C-alpha cells in the first residue's frame, strides 16, 4: 500500500469518527519527509487546499487535469526561484543536518556527478543559490521582527464532505499567531505593490483566509492576525513583516472560500469542468498559460479561438 493510499485510509477513518488517533496518524504522515517529497497534487489528493481552489477559480479544466486526473505536467522545468524559495524555508525550519541531507551544492548541475546526486534524492544547488539561501537565513535570524524559531504546523477540518488542510510555516502556540514565510526578488518593489487588489496580495490573502477558515472550523475560535515575513533574494537579503488582520483581511474572504469549496463540489459531482471563455482576451490568456496547453487533447479547444481582427 502506497503512502497516499495509507493517508486516504486515515482521512476516511477521521471523517467517520473525528477521533484523535486518526487525526494524529494524518498529522504524523504529513510531517514524514518521504511523504512531503511527493508531488504536490499527489500528496494532497485526499485533501482540499487553498492552491486547489485558487487554480479552480482561474481555470476549472486545469484544476481537473492537475488535481483530479493527476495528469503530470507535460514539461517539468527547473525553476531556480522556486528552488531558492523552498530552500530558504527549509534552511530556517530544518536542522543543519536535515538541510544537508536534503541538498547538495555542485559547481554544475549537468555533470554526471550532479545527476547521480539528483538520482539519489538530493536537491541540487549551485554555489550562488546556496549563498542566496544562506544570506536570507542570516537576515531572518538577525531581524528583530522574526520569531526565534519557525516550525511547520498542519491543521485539518471537515467541511461540506471534504477534509480541508492548512499548512503553516510556523505557529506560536502561546500567542496563537501563525507565521508565514515568503521570498521575493526585491523587498522594496514587493512592499510598494503589496496592497489589496494586487495579484500577489490577493493570492496570499486568500491562502491565509483559507488557513484561518480551517483553523476556526477545527478549534471553534480564531486568531487575531497572521505575520507574513518576507525575505528577498537580493545580493544581501532584506526583510519586512506584513500583518494580515482577521477583521480586515481574513474574515471578509470567508465567503469566497466557501463559494469555491461549493464550486469544487459541484464540478466534481457533476463531472463538468468548464474551459475559460475563449472569446475574450482574458480567457485566452488563462488557457494559453495552462501547463497543459501543448497536449494534443487541447487541440479541440484551440479550434474555438477565432482570429483577432482589427
Amino acid at each position: 500500500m502506497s503512502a497516499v493510499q495509507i493517508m486516504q485510509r486515515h482521512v476516511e477513518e477521521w471523517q467517520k469518527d473525528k477521533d484523535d488517533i486518526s487525526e494524529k496518524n494524518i498529522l504524523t504522515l504529513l510531517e514524514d519527509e518521504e511523504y512531503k517529497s511527493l508531488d504536490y497534487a499527489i500528496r494532497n489528493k485526499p485533501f482540499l487546499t487553498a492552491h486547489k481552489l485558487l487554480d479552480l477559480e482561474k481555470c476549472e479544466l486545469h484544476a481537473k487535469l492537475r488535481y483530479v486526473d493527476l495528469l503530470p505536467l507535460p514539461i517539468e522545468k527547473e525553476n531556480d526561484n522556486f528552488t531558492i524559495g523552498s530552500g530558504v524555508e527549509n534552511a530556517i525550519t530544518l536542522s543543519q543536518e536535515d538541510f544537508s541531507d536534503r541538498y547538495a551544492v555542485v559547481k554544475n548541475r549537468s555533470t554526471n556527478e550532479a545527476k547521480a546526486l539528483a538520482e539519489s534524492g538530493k536537491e541540487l544547488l549551485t554555489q550562488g543559490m546556496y549563498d542566496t539561501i544562506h544570506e536570507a537565513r542570516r537576515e531572518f535570524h538577525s531581524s528583530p521582527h522574526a520569531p526565534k524559531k519557525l516550525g511547520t504546523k498542519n491543521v485539518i477540518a471537515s467541511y461540506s464532505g471534504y477534509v480541508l488542510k492548512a499548512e503553516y510555516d510556523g505557529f506560536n502556540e502561546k500567542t496563537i499567531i501563525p507565521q508565514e514565510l515568503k521570498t521575493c526578488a526585491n523587498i522594496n518593489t514587493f512592499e510598494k505593490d503589496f496592497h489589496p487588489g494586487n495579484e500577489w496580495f490577493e493570492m496570499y490573502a486568500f491562502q491565509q483566509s483559507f488557513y484561518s477558515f480551517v483553523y476556526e472550523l477545527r478549534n471553534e475560535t480564531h486568531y487575531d492576525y497572521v505575520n507574513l515575513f518576507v525575505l528577498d533574494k537580493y545580493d544581501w537579503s532584506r526583510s519586512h513583516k506584513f500583518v494580515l488582520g482577521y477583521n480586515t483581511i481574513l474574515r471578509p474572504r470567508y465567503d469566497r472560500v466557501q463559494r469555491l469549496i461549493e464550486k469544487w463540489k459541484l464540478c466534481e459531482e457533476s463531472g463538468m469542468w468548464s474551459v475559460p471563455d475563449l472569446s475574450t482576451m482574458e480567457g485566452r490568456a488563462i488557457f494559453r498559460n495552462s501547463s497543459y496547453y501543448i497536449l494534443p487533447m487541447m487541440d479541440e479547444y484551440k479550434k474555438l479561438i477565432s482570429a483577432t481582427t482589427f
Side-chain angles (χ1 to χ4, degrees), residues 73-95:
L73 298 175
I75 299 177
E76 289 283 5
K77 294 182 178 179
E78 287 188 357
N79 188 323
D80 287 352
N81 287 330
F82 177 80
T83 301
I84 291 173
S86 61
V88 170
E89 180 180 326
N90 287 324
I92 292 171
T93 58
L94 297 177
S95 67

Side-chain angles (χ1 to χ4, degrees), residues 4 18 52 54 60 108 115 132 200 205 220-221 243 250 290 301 308:
V4 176
K18 304 295 186 298
K52 287 186 178 184
L54 282 169
E60 293 178 19
N108 189 323
K115 291 177 181 178
T132 298
W200 284 104
E220 298 182 346
T221 187
V243 180
L250 306 179
S290 171
Y301 302 114
T308 302

Side-chain angles (χ1 to χ4, degrees), residues 53-250:
L53 296 182
L54 282 169
D55 279 353
L56 176 77
E57 187 174 46
K58 185 178 294 183
C59 178
E60 293 178 19
L61 178 61
H62 178 92
K64 175 183 182 295
L65 296 176
R66 181 85 173 100
Y67 303 114
V68 178
D69 299 341
L70 297 179
L71 193 65
L73 298 175
I75 299 177
E76 289 283 5
K77 294 182 178 179
E78 287 188 357
N79 188 323
D80 287 352
N81 287 330
F82 177 80
T83 301
I84 291 173
S86 61
V88 170
E89 180 180 326
N90 287 324
I92 292 171
T93 58
L94 297 177
S95 67
Q96 183 61 49
E97 182 180 357
D98 288 341
F99 184 85
S100 298
D101 287 342
R102 180 175 296 189
Y103 293 93
V105 180
V106 296
K107 291 183 178 180
N108 189 323
R109 286 178 287 178
S110 62
T111 64
N112 291 332
E113 180 184 0
K115 291 177 181 178
L117 286 169
E119 289 175 0
S120 72
K122 293 274 191 178
E123 285 195 60
L124 305 182
L125 302 173
T126 64
Q127 186 62 50
M129 294 166 69
Y130 177 81
D131 290 344
T132 298
I133 291 170
H134 175 75
E135 281 301 309
R137 177 173 56 185
R138 177 202 56 75
E139 167 66 11
F140 178 86
H141 288 307
S142 65
S143 171
H145 300 299
K148 293 181 179 179
K149 187 177 181 182
L150 200 64
T152 59
K153 176 182 176 69
N154 292 287
V155 178
I156 58 173
S158 180
Y159 181 82
S160 196
Y162 293 98
V163 175
L164 314 182
K165 184 183 73 119
E167 183 177 348
Y168 298 98
D169 293 330
F171 199 97
N172 189 318
E173 299 289 355
K174 292 183 179 180
T175 60
I176 319 298
I177 300 300
Q179 307 284 349
E180 285 297 303
L181 183 67
K182 302 293 182 186
T183 57
C184 66
N186 186 303
I187 193 67
N188 295 318
T189 303
F190 185 93
E191 183 180 23
K192 178 181 177 182
D193 295 336
F194 196 64
H195 54 75
N198 170 267
E199 180 182 1
W200 284 104
F201 182 94
E202 294 302 334
M203 183 183 74
Y204 289 148
F206 179 84
Q207 181 188 47
Q208 294 309 314
S209 297
F210 178 85
Y211 288 2
S212 175
F213 181 74
V214 174
Y215 183 89
E216 194 165 341
L217 278 175
R218 178 65 184 84
N219 296 283
E220 298 182 346
T221 187
H222 67 83
Y223 38 76
D224 294 331
Y225 56 88
V226 174
N227 285 332
L228 177 63
F229 196 81
V230 182
L231 296 144
D232 73 10
K233 299 186 286 285
Y234 200 65
D235 293 341
W236 58 91
S237 183
R238 301 160 299 191
S239 62
H240 189 69
K241 183 175 77 172
F242 299 84
V243 180
L244 305 182
Y246 175 82
N247 292 321
T248 55
I249 301 298
L250 306 179

Side-chain angles (χ1 to χ4, degrees), residues 288-299:
R288 289 166 179 155
N289 285 333
S290 171
S291 304
Y292 300 106
Y293 179 82
I294 66 172
L295 294 182
M297 64 182 295
M298 295 300 215
D299 290 347

